[in-house]
Amino acid sequence: AAQRRMEEGWRERLGKELREILALIPESRSHSKAIDEIASHDWGWEAKYGPTVVAELASAFEAAALEMFPEMSIPLVQLRGAEWARERGATLLRLDGDQSLVKLTQQRVNDLVAGTLERGDSLRTLRSNLTSDLAFSPMRAERVARTETSFALGQGHKSAAVAQGHNEKRAFTQGDSLVRPEHSSNAAQGWIGVNESFQSGHETIPFGVNCRCNVIYRTRPPEVE
C-alpha cells in the first residue's frame, strides 16, 4: 500500500513537471525562445513537493517499524519516522542532494534539448522526445517508488530493532539466479553488529536498485564458555 501511494505520487509529480515544460515550447515559438524558457524552468522540487514526499516516506517508515515490532510506542515511531523522512527527502529533492532525483531529471531534459539543437530537430520532435523519455515515464515513477519504499522498510526495521535493544543483523537473499554476487556476499557474512556495514558498503536494504533482499535482527546470545 505504501509503495502504491508513493508510485501514484511520483507519477503525478513527474507528470506535472512534464506538463509545465511542454507548456514552454509550443511550436509557434522560435527555437531560441523555447530553449531559453526551458533553461529557466523552476526545478525547486523541495519547495514544490517536499511536505508531500516527506509524509509519504514517514508513513512507509512507520508501517515498517510497527510491522517488525507492533508493541513499540507509536509516538516514538512517528518521531523517528519524521526525522528520517526529512533527511531522506532532502537527499532526493534538493539539487545538491546526494541522490538528487531533481538533478538527474534536469540533466536528462538538458541532454534532450542539446540533442535537438545538435541535430537540428523541430520543437515538435523535442516535445515528443520529452513526453516519451524515461525521465517522465510511469516506469520511472514505479522504480522510484519501489526503491524508496525499500529504503523506508530498511530504515524502519533497523530503527525499531535498535530501539528494542537488538545488536546483531543478518542479510538474506531470494536465493535464485537473479541475486547479484555482492548481495550473496552480504548474506554469506552471517550475523554482524547492528551498526556495521555489509560487504557491499550498505547498512541495510536496499543494497541496490530493485533489491529484493531482506535484513533481520536479533540480540546476540550470551557467550557459552
Side-chain angles (χ1 to χ4, degrees), residues 2-149:
Q3 180 176 324
R4 184 169 60 253
R5 287 194 300 272
M6 207 173 295
E7 183 179 333
E8 292 170 351
W10 278 107
R11 186 180 294 117
E12 179 181 340
R13 288 185 284 272
L14 293 174
K16 181 176 183 292
E17 292 297 312
L18 174 60
R19 290 191 297 274
E20 289 183 359
I21 292 174
L22 292 180
L24 300 174
I25 49 174
E27 294 177 37
S28 58
R29 272 191 175 84
S30 66
H31 272 65
S32 59
K33 179 66 173 175
I35 299 309
D36 287 345
E37 294 194 356
I38 292 173
S40 64
H41 176 67
D42 178 11
W43 289 100
W45 285 18
E46 188 172 32
K48 291 181 183 178
Y49 310 122
T52 303
V53 170
V54 168
E56 291 171 354
L57 292 169
S59 176
F61 178 103
E62 293 163 16
L66 292 173
E67 174 191 44
M68 176 163 278
F69 295 105
E71 69 278 10
M72 277 192 70
S73 163
I74 292 179
L76 175 61
V77 172
Q78 291 175 332
L79 176 62
R80 294 194 173 186
E83 291 174 347
W84 174 81
R86 283 193 295 270
E87 180 180 344
R88 180 63 185 169
T91 70
L92 299 174
L93 298 176
R94 291 176 52 177
L95 275 171
D96 60 351
D98 294 342
Q99 301 177 51
S100 176
L101 294 172
V102 192
K103 185 185 297 182
L104 290 174
T105 306
Q106 181 190 44
Q107 185 59 56
R108 184 56 187 156
V109 170
N110 291 343
D111 290 345
L112 289 170
V113 170
T116 297
L117 293 174
E118 290 173 4
R119 295 187 300 270
D121 291 340
S122 67
L123 292 181
R124 177 182 295 181
T125 299
L126 175 59
R127 288 175 60 89
S128 175
N129 289 342
L130 284 167
T131 302
S132 61
D133 191 80
L134 180 64
F136 293 109
S137 71
M139 185 187 305
R140 186 175 187 227
E142 180 182 353
R143 187 171 66 181
V144 170
R146 184 183 299 120
T147 301
E148 292 311 312
T149 49

